[in-house]
Structures are given as structure tokens and as C-alpha cells.
């Protein structure tokens, strides 16, 4: 399982986040983060039949083709990534920035629901070019504002400062100004090893506009794209048991990935915010054998990822063209 090193500053003590941490992040968890965080230009595509399928496949393609595991056990750029032109690298870096923001918000800030603020467009009382990328809801129904940046090379201090300004441009959510405001930057250090820097800016703009949205409506918007994708009218869906819950599963055989959504209404997550603790013991386990399986991940948002053998360590330590084909 690859390692991720990230650097943290200015977080409240109760999060117990050290200045530098290195942790295991499985490919399954990375896939989960990539497909569950929004991008503004795709918010409409998700809602239109076959285009939803293209969007999910695009995200899987960007991970599997552009990242690999190094001999030292870190995520690093593939030769395909290094061969992209600057504009392509910019788009991919932005996508990775969103992905790592989602992953760390879930892991360290107890915030499994994070989506692009444009998903909540109708609930915003302003139209402005400068605003934060992401808004999130924690398991304790607390709100998070986040700005995510990405670079294909070293970290950019000026971009981090600009990101802090963007988190300032939302005064409150439902009248609450005491929001956790976070900026993150995903970048590549040294020969191309993935890193993240993130921090909690201390201030906000007293003149900034507001967002008014109820938690249940926020969850509806969050799950809407996946429910559109996991649709029996569009493709074959199976119902399966995992960790004591039932999931509606879809298989993307061309990427050797299975995606599942827990069969529960949205209010389940508000009424049982700690439901996932019952499933945590098997989060990285194979439900059939109990053997360690880093190709399975269950998020606190009830989205399940199961990867096939083409994502194992032997495959993902090779360049994309050298990997064995999906059988």
C-alpha cells in the first residue's frame, strides 16, 4: 500500500494533527476520493445518462494512467504524466488537488461529504469569481469551507496565499461564521513523489456573502450524481452485503473497479452519524476471507470501492504500458 506524506499548519488542537505525517493510502481509498469530489465543469454531465459513465471513467483513467507506486512506496508520476503538455498538466493537477483535499478531509477532519460549491449554486446569495472551491459537512453536522490547489511540480507559496483569500469569501453557512476554513495544495516533490500541504487560515471577510442550505439538501446534492450513475435503467446493478449493510453495486470491467452505494436514505447519515464505526473493522478486509485486502475501501459516506487484481502492487509499480491487461 503506498504512503502519503502531508504537512499541516494552524489546525485546532482537538484534531490532533501533527506538523508532518506519513500514512498509508490504498489505491481503493484514492479511487473513492477521486470519484466522490466534485468538479465544477462536470456538475451537469453527471445528471445525463451515458455522460455520467464517461465522467467516472475519465476520473479512473486519470488515476490509473498518470500515477504509479514507486519502489520506495510512494505515489509518483508515470512517464505518461511527465509527457503531458502544460495545459494538460494543469487540468490533471487540479483534479489531484481536489482528490487529496477530499481524502484528507475525510481522514483527519471527519468530513466525508465534500462537494464543489457550485453544486449548491441555487443556495448561494451571490455570484462572484473569487470564492472557495469546496464546501463540506462533517459527521457531527459541522460545516467546512475548503480551497484546493494542485501543482505538477513544487509547492507554490503565492498560490497558497491566494487560496487563503478564497476561503475568506464566504461569510457564513446557515448563519454560522465559526467555520473550519482549510486550504490545501497537492504537489510533487523531488523526482515526482506526491505531497500535500494544508492549513487552517484564521480569518474571513466580514463583507463576504452567505450560503443557506439544510444538511439533508446538501446530502441530496452530494449523492445525486452517484444515484444517477448507479441506475438499473442504465446498466446492470447487483445488491450485495458488506459489513452488515446492503450495497447497490455497479461493475466497471474496463477499469477493474466496482462501485457501491449503501442502500439507505440520505437522512440515515444524519440520524446515525457514527454508523461507519460498525464497519470500520472490515474497512480494509476482504468480507469473504477476512484477509488483509488493500483493494477495498468503505467511506463514511457509504460509498464502497472494490478494485480488481490489476490494481495490486506488482501492477501499479509498473508504467501503464507494462501492466498486464484486464482479463
Amino acid at each position: 500500500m503506498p504512503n502519503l506524506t502531508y504537512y499541516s499548519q494552524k489546525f485546532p488542537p482537538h484534531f490532533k494533527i501533527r506538523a508532518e505525517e506519513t500514512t498509508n493510502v490504498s489505491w481503493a481509498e484514492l479511487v473513492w476520493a477521486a470519484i466522490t469530489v466534485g468538479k465544477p465543469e462536470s456538475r451537469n454531465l453527471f445528471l445525463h445518462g451515458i455522460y455520467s459513465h464517461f465522467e467516472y471513467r475519465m476520473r479512473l483513467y486519470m488515476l490509473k494512467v498518470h500515477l504509479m507506486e514507486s519502489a520506495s512506496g510512494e505515489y509518483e508520476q508515470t512517464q505518461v504524466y511527465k509527457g503531458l503538455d502544460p495545459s494538460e498538466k494543469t487540468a490533471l493537477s487540479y483534479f489531484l488537488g481536489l482528490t487529496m483535499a477530499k481524502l484528507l478531509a475525510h481522514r483527519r477532519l471527519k468530513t466525508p461529504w465534500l462537494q464543489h460549491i457550485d453544486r449548491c449554486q441555487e443556495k448561494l446569495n451571490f455570484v462572484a469569481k473569487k470564492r472557495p472551491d469546496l464546501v463540506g459537512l462533517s459527521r457531527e453536522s459541522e460545516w467546512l469551507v475548503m480551497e484546493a490547489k494542485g501543482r505538477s511540480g513544487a509547492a507554490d507559496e503565492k498560490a497558497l496565499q491566494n487560496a487563503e483569500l478564497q476561503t475568506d469569501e464566504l461569510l457564513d453557512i446557515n448563519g454560522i461564521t465559526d467555520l473550519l476554513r482549510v486550504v490545501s495544495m497537492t504537489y510533487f516533490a523531488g523526482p515526482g513523489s506526491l505531497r500535500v500541504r494544508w492549513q487552517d487560515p484564521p480569518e474571513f471577510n466580514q463583507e463576504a456573502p452567505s450560503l443557506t442550505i439544510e444538511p439533508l439538501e446538501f446530502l441530496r446534492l452530494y449523492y445525486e450524481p452517484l444515484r444517477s450513475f448507479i441506475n438499473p435503467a442504465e446498466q446492470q446493478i447487483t445488491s450485495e452485503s458488506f459489513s452488515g449493510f446492503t450495497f447497490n453495486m455497479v461493475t466497471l470491467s474496463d477499469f477493474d473497479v466496482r462501485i457501491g452505494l449503501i442502500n439507505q436514505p440520505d437522512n440515515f447519515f444524519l440520524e446515525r452519524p457514527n454508523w461507519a464505526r460498525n464497519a470500520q473493522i472490515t474497512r480494509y478486509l476482504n468480507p469473504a476471507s477476512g484477509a488483509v485486502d488493500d483493494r477495498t475501501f468503505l467511506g463514511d459516506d457509504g460509498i464502497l470501492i472494490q478494485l480488481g487484481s490489476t490494481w495490486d502492487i506488482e501492477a501499479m509499480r509498473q508504467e501503464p504500458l507494462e501492466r498486464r491487461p484486464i482479463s
Side-chain angles (χ1 to χ4, degrees):
M1 188 185 301
N3 296 318
L4 171 69
T5 298
Y6 57 97
Y7 307 95
S8 312
Q9 289 184 313
K10 305 177 185 177
F11 283 93
H14 69 272
F15 285 114
K16 299 179 181 179
I17 300 176
R18 296 189 298 272
E20 178 179 342
E21 297 182 331
T22 298
T23 185
N24 295 129
V25 176
S26 69
W27 285 100
E29 184 174 3
L30 198 65
V31 166
W32 169 84
I35 69 167
T36 58
V37 68
K39 304 204 310 294
E41 64 270 22
S42 68
R43 66 185 184 274
N44 293 321
L45 287 181
F46 268 131
L47 304 180
H48 299 289
I50 192 64
Y51 296 107
S52 299
H53 304 187
F54 295 158
E55 172 69 17
Y56 279 106
R57 284 173 167 82
M58 180 187 72
R59 295 184 184 204
L60 292 169
Y61 176 87
M62 287 195 289
L63 284 187
K64 200 166 190 181
V65 172
H66 296 111
L67 292 181
M68 62 186 294
E69 182 178 346
S70 69
S72 60
E74 295 184 299
Y75 287 102
E76 69 175 8
Q77 299 169 347
T78 64
Q79 290 301 318
V80 177
Y81 188 118
K82 294 173 182 178
L84 297 175
D85 67 36
S87 60
E88 291 172 324
K89 286 182 177 178
T90 296
L92 181 57
S93 298
Y94 176 63
F95 165 73
L96 291 176
L98 292 174
T99 298
M100 302 313 296
K102 176 62 182 284
L103 189 147
L104 289 180
H106 177 258
R107 273 213 179 191
R108 305 301 280 116
L109 305 179
K110 303 177 181 179
T111 303
W113 300 287
L114 190 70
Q115 59 187 318
H116 204 280
I117 199 168
D118 278 6
R119 290 284 296 151
C120 310
Q121 180 70 44
E122 295 180 359
K123 307 297 180 179
L124 290 165
N125 67 352
F126 70 103
V127 176
K129 292 183 179 179
K130 182 186 291 185
R131 57 187 179 195
D133 276 331
L134 304 164
V135 59
L137 183 66
S138 77
R139 294 200 310 261
E140 287 76 27
S141 293
E142 296 176 339
W143 294 101
L144 165 70
V145 176
M146 199 164 187
E147 175 66 19
K149 300 293 185 184
R151 292 292 181 272
S152 58
D156 185 332
E157 293 295 335
K158 185 175 181 180
L160 273 173
Q161 293 172 8
N162 290 336
E164 289 195 9
L165 295 176
Q166 285 179 256
T167 64
D168 294 347
E169 295 303 316
L170 186 64
L171 175 63
D172 65 81
I173 299 178
N174 299 336
I176 300 171
T177 58
D178 186 20
L179 306 171
L180 183 62
R181 302 169 189 269
V182 178
V183 300
S184 70
M185 173 164 288
T186 299
Y187 63 99
F188 289 89
S193 297
L194 190 67
R195 296 284 188 273
V196 182
R197 286 180 54 185
W198 68 332
Q199 57 198 47
D200 177 13
E203 300 177 355
F204 58 90
N205 180 3
Q206 296 282 356
E207 302 300 320
S210 304
L211 170 64
T212 302
I213 185 168
E214 292 302 316
L216 193 59
E217 174 65 8
F218 184 84
L219 293 181
R220 185 191 68 78
L221 292 171
Y222 179 88
Y223 288 108
E224 186 177 46
L226 193 59
R227 289 205 169 104
S228 174
F229 177 63
I230 303 180
N231 183 343
E234 300 289 343
Q235 55 193 318
Q236 185 174 356
I237 307 298
T238 59
S239 180
E240 302 178 26
S241 178
F242 182 83
S243 295
F245 295 94
T246 301
F247 290 79
N248 295 321
M249 305 288 300
V250 62
T251 299
L252 302 181
S253 56
D254 48 342
F255 284 98
D256 207 13
V257 172
R258 304 180 74 232
I259 302 172
L261 176 61
I262 193 169
N263 189 13
Q264 296 287 345
D266 295 342
N267 59 4
F268 166 82
F269 300 101
L270 299 178
E271 295 168 1
R272 297 180 60 185
N274 296 313
W275 74 273
R277 293 181 182 177
N278 298 325
Q280 281 179 355
I281 193 170
T282 55
R283 178 163 293 174
Y284 290 105
L285 300 183
N286 184 310
S289 66
V292 172
D293 178 7
D294 60 10
R295 299 200 307 263
T296 298
F297 182 78
L298 175 59
D300 289 354
D301 58 356
I303 296 174
L304 174 66
I305 302 297
Q306 294 179 328
L307 305 181
S309 61
T310 60
W311 293 81
D312 63 20
I313 187 171
E314 291 82 7
M316 299 308 291
R317 284 196 172 182
Q318 299 181 66
E319 292 288 344
L321 289 177
E322 299 170 353
R323 297 171 191 165
R324 63 180 181 272
I326 297 172
S327 58

